[in-house]
Amino acid sequence: MKLKQLEYLLETYNHGLNMSEAARALNTTQPGISNGIRRLERELGVDLLTRKGKRLGVTPAGERIVMLAREALQKVESIERAAEEFLHEDRGSLRIATTHTQARYVLPDHIKNFREKYPQVSLHINQGTPAQLAELTLNGEVDFAIATEGFEYFTNLILAPCYTWNRSIVVPKGHLLTRIDKITLADVAREPLVTYVFGFAGGSSVANAFAAEGLFANVTFTATDTDVIKKYVRLGVGIGIIASMAREERVDDDLEFIDASHLFEPSVTHIGLRREVFLRSYMYEFIESFAEHLNRPLIEKVLTTTQRDEQDALLSGFELPRK
């Protein structure tokens, strides 16, 4: 059994059993992927995939071995990173999964400073929904995620709190809501809403606020991109509910932002980490630059603590900054 065979199996699984896509991702051929998996099956003596014509499925043995293959390949990557840490401590890569709002409005200054200090480290930002961020992190495709909502997808990750933030109602200039001294949730519910795809997912502070008052949210348009939401507010599709940090004075001078911190409970942005992740020194530095209370000794202690309640205790009690 070779690591390459495990990689073929795992990449095929990660691409929805599409061997052509797996081959493109690994810069090889589809027959090479197929033959490698068949050789692995012969060596193990069990079928990992079911084959009915061109349709593939996964056997129970395949599901189990995919999970073990992922763990094995992640450990191999950790070994390679540990060696690289001693050979070239200022070279490598940093892969982050996050939302559009974080990538657009929060991360640029941190990335600029990081690039100045580590010009030979390549940075890769993957944007997506909370479910996608969690999957990328669990699969080891990124080093960590910076997440703002949808934490039900992160149950198998360590979540380290970074800062709190709240929302604003964004409307075109002269909108009726701007004439109300202090808007209520009922005022918002009477308007068509444009907001984040995950804004009304179970457990979000927006969804909880509407549910607590027995109000129905008239969501007419959703997007993962804050700038897209603002665009459709400008077009008159509805009023927006977005992160307050997404306001840009010079760009958004045709819009008005109404503070909604009295309507919704603040949210907390977290960094999500795999329990077995190996972090390079510059990765610890990046995390601390993003949230200064998350220093290396603390993160190392959290990663070596196996009990979830002990991890939570280590990461609680901080007075988090507000964005």
Side-chain angles (χ1 to χ4, degrees):
M1 179 173 55
K2 298 178 180 178
L3 289 175
K4 183 63 69 176
Q5 294 170 330
L6 297 179
E7 189 177 20
Y8 287 168
L9 175 65
L10 183 58
E11 202 68 29
T12 299
Y13 184 86
N14 288 343
H15 284 85
L17 303 182
N18 187 321
M19 287 189 180
S20 296
E21 290 294 326
R24 274 192 283 273
L26 294 172
N27 195 28
T28 186
T29 65
Q30 186 271 331
I33 295 280
S34 179
N35 291 335
I37 294 175
R38 286 188 181 278
R39 284 196 295 271
L40 179 61
E41 289 175 317
R42 287 196 296 269
E43 290 174 24
L44 295 176
V46 294
D47 289 335
L48 305 176
L49 302 179
T50 60
R51 300 166 177 85
K52 293 182 180 179
K54 293 185 177 181
R55 296 183 61 182
L56 298 177
V58 186
T59 67
E63 291 281 0
R64 176 63 175 159
I65 289 169
V66 161
M67 183 180 69
L68 294 171
R70 178 174 288 118
E71 293 175 0
L73 290 170
Q74 287 174 353
K75 289 183 183 301
V76 169
E77 182 184 18
S78 293
I79 292 170
E80 292 172 344
R81 282 187 171 187
E84 189 71 15
E85 181 79 359
F86 288 96
L87 288 171
H88 306 291
E89 63 181 21
D90 60 346
R91 298 180 189 177
S93 65
L94 174 57
R95 305 162 301 171
I96 302 170
T98 192
T99 62
H100 168 267
T101 300
Q102 299 293 317
R104 173 76 173 79
Y105 298 102
V106 181
L107 282 173
D109 286 343
H110 298 285
I111 287 175
K112 178 178 180 293
N113 294 335
F114 182 84
R115 290 286 299 149
E116 289 173 354
K117 185 171 183 179
Y118 294 102
Q120 297 188 80
V121 174
S122 60
L123 273 160
H124 308 276
I125 303 295
N126 297 265
Q127 295 180 49
T129 64
Q132 291 167 334
L133 306 187
E135 183 178 7
L136 287 168
T137 309
L138 284 169
N139 289 346
E141 295 177 57
V142 298
D143 301 306
F144 53 82
I146 299 175
T148 57
E149 299 273 16
F151 295 118
E152 64 272 18
Y153 300 108
F154 290 78
T155 53
N156 293 320
L157 295 170
I158 295 169
L159 285 173
C162 300
Y163 62 83
T164 65
W165 57 277
N166 217 308
R167 297 159 182 79
S168 291
I169 309 298
V170 58
V171 298
K173 287 281 189 181
H175 192 279
L176 288 174
L177 287 182
T178 63
R179 303 172 195 172
I180 300 174
D181 289 336
K182 191 172 185 178
I183 65 171
T184 66
L185 207 57
D187 295 324
V188 176
R190 282 191 285 269
E191 302 285 341
L193 298 181
V194 182
T195 190
Y196 302 113
V197 168
F198 46 85
F200 283 86
S204 78
S205 60
V206 176
N208 290 343
F210 277 89
E213 295 198 20
L215 294 170
F216 171 76
N218 180 21
V219 180
T220 60
F221 184 92
T222 62
T224 57
D225 188 319
T226 304
D227 293 332
V228 171
I229 292 172
K230 288 191 281 188
K231 175 68 174 179
Y232 281 86
V233 170
R234 291 183 172 100
L235 292 175
V237 173
I239 66 171
I241 303 178
I242 64 174
S244 298
M245 69 185 80
R247 181 177 188 175
E248 294 181 290
E249 295 288 347
R250 289 176 294 179
V251 176
D252 298 326
D253 56 2
D254 59 333
L255 298 173
E256 294 197 46
F257 286 69
I258 304 169
D259 178 43
S261 59
H262 63 292
L263 301 179
F264 309 115
E265 288 293 321
S267 294
V268 180
T269 290
H270 291 74
I271 286 178
L273 298 157
R274 292 194 319 277
R275 300 178 192 282
E276 67 281 2
V277 68
F278 180 90
L279 297 176
R280 299 281 303 275
S281 295
Y282 58 75
M283 296 176 184
Y284 284 107
E285 281 193 43
F286 188 93
I287 291 172
E288 188 169 356
S289 79
F290 189 77
E292 62 181 21
H293 60 283
L294 299 179
N295 53 57
R296 180 168 184 165
L298 173 63
I299 295 299
E300 286 181 334
K301 190 170 184 179
V302 170
L303 289 175
T304 56
T305 301
T306 57
Q307 297 301 315
R308 186 61 178 265
D309 57 345
E310 293 180 20
Q311 292 171 345
D312 292 341
L314 288 169
L315 292 169
S316 63
F318 296 102
E319 185 176 345
L320 300 178
R322 295 181 182 181
K323 293 284 186 183

